[in-house]
Amino acid sequence: MNRKIFAIKTNYSEEQLIVLLKEKNETGFHHLYDNYSGALYGVILRIVQSKEYTEEIIQDVFVKIWNSIHQYDSVKGRFYTWMINIARNTAIDYLKSKGFQNELKNQPLPDFVYNSAELSTTNHSSDFIGFNHVLEKLEVDKQELIDLAYYQGYTQNEISEKLKIPLGTVKTKMRNALIKLKDLLKDYQ
């Protein structure tokens, strides 16, 4: 008798997925990767501007999610937001790491010059979830704050110094930008 085994693709709710991950269920992990890797890849690529580094970092991000799922608290925010923060922080940590900084210093000049188009921050093809369209609805100064903080990895102190505005102003504008962005993103849920 010739039996065929068919894989049944199941869609899990966010709550079901979290339970599976907390139980260290591999099916849950595969579902997580299949459904969220593209969006997280886009977030990381936008920060590090290199496909090679992004592929390395995305692996670390999913390992961190797997290992720290017990720290997720639904009261503090949505699961997707929690994962984006892990991806963002991991990418920024990577950029600030001594190994990465030394690698940039040791890169031969011609290779760096010829790869500048790939490293350009104007490459918007990595916007898998259409976030640039949403971001364009913010005022220009708020767009700049979001870009500096979330895509270029600047701290609020560094933004204050770079833009030559008081730290309190940066904090207020950033908070207002995030509130406005949260409101705009309600239409995309």
Side-chain angles (χ1 to χ4, degrees):
M1 178 177 215
N2 190 5
R3 288 187 352 171
K4 292 184 181 180
I5 298 174
F6 295 97
I8 299 173
K9 181 161 173 119
T10 307
N11 285 325
Y12 299 105
S13 70
E14 191 172 285
E15 294 79 19
Q16 292 170 324
L17 180 59
I18 293 166
V19 169
L20 288 173
L21 294 172
K22 285 183 177 182
E23 293 173 351
K24 298 298 183 191
N25 181 298
E26 286 186 34
T27 303
F29 181 80
H30 291 296
H31 180 80
L32 174 78
Y33 188 85
D34 291 344
N35 288 282
Y36 293 98
S37 61
L40 296 179
Y41 184 93
V43 169
I44 296 166
L45 183 61
R46 178 93 189 248
I47 294 169
V48 299
Q49 301 297 316
S50 165
K51 291 178 183 177
E52 178 186 342
Y53 299 135
T54 300
E55 290 168 5
E56 189 175 317
I57 294 167
I58 192 96
Q59 293 175 18
D60 291 342
V61 167
F62 278 98
V63 169
K64 284 181 181 182
I65 292 169
W66 178 258
N67 289 332
S68 61
I69 187 65
H70 62 280
Q71 294 176 355
Y72 170 69
D73 183 357
S74 62
V75 174
K76 293 182 180 177
R78 295 193 57 213
F79 183 57
Y80 180 68
T81 306
W82 181 74
M83 289 189 302
I84 284 180
N85 283 327
I86 290 174
R88 177 186 165 275
N89 293 339
T90 303
I92 290 170
D93 289 346
Y94 186 84
L95 289 178
K96 291 182 177 181
S97 72
K98 286 184 181 179
F100 178 76
Q101 294 299 321
N102 286 336
E103 192 174 317
L104 285 180
K105 290 177 187 174
N106 294 329
Q107 193 172 23
L109 184 58
D111 291 341
F112 185 77
V113 171
Y114 295 128
N115 288 332
S116 64
E118 182 180 329
L119 298 173
S120 170
T121 57
T122 59
N123 177 5
H124 297 290
S125 63
S126 63
D127 186 15
F128 295 118
I129 58 174
F131 190 70
N132 286 334
H133 179 68
V134 176
L135 199 57
E136 289 171 356
K137 294 180 180 179
L138 292 176
E139 293 86 4
V140 175
D141 63 328
K142 290 178 179 163
Q143 287 179 29
E144 182 179 28
L145 288 174
I146 298 291
D147 182 62
L148 289 170
Y150 288 90
Y151 295 121
Q152 296 184 41
Y154 283 80
T155 64
Q156 290 181 336
N157 285 331
E158 291 169 337
I159 293 171
S160 173
E161 291 171 14
K162 181 174 178 63
L163 299 179
K164 297 181 183 2
I165 57 176
L167 180 60
T169 304
V170 170
K171 289 180 178 185
T172 301
K173 285 186 173 190
M174 182 66 76
R175 184 175 188 284
N176 291 338
L178 292 174
I179 289 170
K180 175 81 177 199
L181 199 55
K182 181 180 178 182
D183 188 51
L184 290 170
L185 287 171
K186 286 180 182 177
D187 297 336
Y188 291 88
Q189 291 182 354

